[in-house]
Amino acid sequence: MCGPDVAEEAIVDEMVIAAVAESGSLDLLVVDGAGLFTHGIADSGDARAALRTCLDATWNVTRAVVNRAFLLAERSPPSGRIVYLAPASDAGEHADAARAGLENLARTLSTEWARHGITLVTIAPGDATDAGEVAALCAYLASPAGAYFSGCLLDLRGP
């Protein structure tokens, strides 16, 4: 899901309800904030609008998945994992602001939702980080060993 539709709460709710109905449950949400940001720039040519779309869409998808899947799941206690993929610094003007916004959202929500067993992490890839490295880290975070991490930035940007 991408584009301006993910910034609309009602549309996102419908998409999440359909995904839960089709799969039965959701345990992991990976939000490609980098893709949302880049797609927003391509659509509008305006980095500020792309930043707003990235953060609004991330919040809307997160809220919908937590409310419609993680908290309603038939497991006790409820749980779920959320990973935000931030844009690299060279993704354009305001890319660092998008990364900071995603990092702050993960830190804040990890505190709010810790009592529900919901963990949130932001991955900040570097300019030279390849997709395989990000995918491997996401797979690790989805594993039982990855449950330890919450409210942090996994910084792959280097020194």
Side-chain angles (χ1 to χ4, degrees):
M1 110 178 51
C2 200
D5 289 348
V6 293
E8 299 295 328
E9 288 184 38
I11 292 171
V12 172
D13 278 343
E14 290 173 15
M15 290 176 168
V16 170
I17 289 167
V20 171
E22 183 177 321
S23 68
S25 68
L26 298 176
D27 299 315
L28 173 70
L29 169 66
V30 178
V31 178
D32 184 6
L36 290 167
F37 182 77
T38 303
H39 187 71
I41 289 176
D43 280 354
S44 69
D46 181 359
R48 288 181 96 180
L51 172 62
R52 184 173 301 121
T53 298
C54 172
L55 297 178
D56 286 350
T58 298
W59 165 245
N60 288 338
V61 172
T62 300
R63 180 199 48 76
V65 168
V66 167
N67 289 337
R68 306 276 184 190
F70 293 173
L71 295 179
L72 297 179
E74 294 181 12
R75 57 183 173 251
S76 182
S79 63
R81 300 210 186 130
I82 300 170
V83 178
Y84 297 145
L85 305 178
S89 296
D90 68 351
E93 184 183 13
H94 302 305
D96 285 335
R99 183 219 21 95
L102 294 170
E103 178 184 1
N104 188 40
L105 187 60
R107 288 185 192 277
T108 303
L109 294 177
S110 71
T111 302
E112 291 289 322
W113 292 336
R115 64 193 161 131
H116 299 294
I118 298 170
T119 63
L120 295 96
V121 174
T122 300
I123 298 174
D127 299 340
T129 305
D130 69 43
E133 292 172 299
V134 175
L137 185 52
C138 285
Y140 174 78
L141 292 169
S143 77
Y148 173 79
F149 295 93
S150 190
C152 59
L153 174 71
L154 299 177
D155 194 343
L156 307 178
R157 294 175 293 173

